[in-house]
């Protein structure tokens, strides 16, 4: 991965690659608190047949239960801009910062998150853009299902 990525985005990228190797959509996410990864995950909708198991949701699930104050000290890293469902979870838990690997292939809800006070940084990393574009080109039906669009 490029030197421009910090440890959080590198871990999210690794999760995305794991998802791809498993036959799923290559979107990864990690939840970081105090410089340590508290939870990591990847989109496992295809693998588990679970319509809401996006990468961000998987990372939150894998972080386990915590008091509300825990999330207010976290940063969420995700390789692709979060959808409205994942943005809702970010807002519910009041995660104050989201680092997005790219929003070229899917714009997500960054403006919505910002309007609610979340600090959103978009990297538009070329490797992440290329990885997602390749997946979408090869799997348009699965991708459209993931974002609830028709072909």
């Amino acid at each position: 991965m490029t030197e421009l990525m910090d440890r959080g985005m590198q871990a999210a990228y690794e999760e995305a690659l794991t998802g791809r190797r498993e036959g799923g959509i290559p979107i990864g996410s990690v939840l970081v608190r105090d410089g340590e990864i508290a939870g990591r995950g990847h989109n496992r909708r295809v693998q588990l047949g679970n319509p809401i198991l996006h990468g961000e949701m998987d990372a939150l699930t894998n972080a386990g239960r915590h008091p509300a104050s825990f999330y207010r000290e976290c940063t969420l890293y995700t390789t692709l801009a979060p959808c409205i469902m994942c943005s809702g979870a970010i807002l519910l838990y009041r995660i104050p910062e989201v680092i997005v690997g790219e929003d070229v292939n899917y714009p997500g809800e960054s403006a919505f998150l910002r309007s609610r006070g979340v600090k959103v940084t978009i990297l538009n990393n070329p490797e992440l853009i290329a990885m997602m574009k390749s997946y979408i080109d090869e799997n348009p039906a699965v991708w459209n299902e993931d974002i609830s669009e028709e072909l």
Side-chain angles (χ1 to χ4, degrees):
M1 186 61 86
T2 177
E3 304 90 42
L4 297 175
M5 284 206 188
D6 68 8
R7 196 169 75 92
M9 189 55 69
Q10 177 66 38
Y13 174 68
E14 290 165 5
E15 286 293 322
L17 293 176
T18 297
R20 181 73 164 142
R21 281 192 301 273
E22 294 173 353
I25 301 168
I27 303 169
S29 185
V30 296
L31 186 67
V32 174
R33 181 176 178 258
D34 294 330
E36 298 297 321
I37 295 174
R40 55 189 309 143
H42 52 277
N43 187 307
R44 296 191 301 153
R45 290 182 67 257
V46 172
Q47 298 92 310
L48 298 180
N50 183 329
I52 63 170
L53 203 50
H54 286 190
E56 299 90 338
M57 304 298 266
D58 195 36
L60 288 168
T61 299
N62 291 329
R65 289 181 56 199
H66 296 283
S69 60
F70 173 88
Y71 300 99
R72 288 157 180 81
E73 299 171 350
C74 290
T75 299
L76 183 74
Y77 290 80
T78 182
T79 57
L80 187 67
C83 71
I84 192 66
M85 175 180 67
C86 296
S87 295
I90 291 163
L91 294 174
L92 175 66
Y93 291 105
R94 296 188 183 118
I95 298 169
E97 183 174 12
V98 178
I99 310 294
V100 176
E102 71 107 338
D103 71 350
V104 172
N105 289 292
Y106 180 71
E109 298 295 334
S110 298
F112 175 60
L113 289 170
R114 286 185 182 116
S115 78
R116 300 294 300 264
V118 177
K119 178 182 178 189
V120 179
T121 303
I122 300 171
L123 304 177
N124 278 335
N125 179 283
E127 289 177 74
L128 297 176
I129 294 168
M131 176 181 67
M132 200 65 220
K133 180 173 180 356
S134 173
Y135 182 85
I136 292 168
D137 289 348
E138 294 168 12
N139 302 279
V142 174
W143 170 245
N144 282 319
E145 178 186 315
D146 192 68
I147 60 171
S148 193
E149 294 287 336
E150 298 295 325
L151 275 177

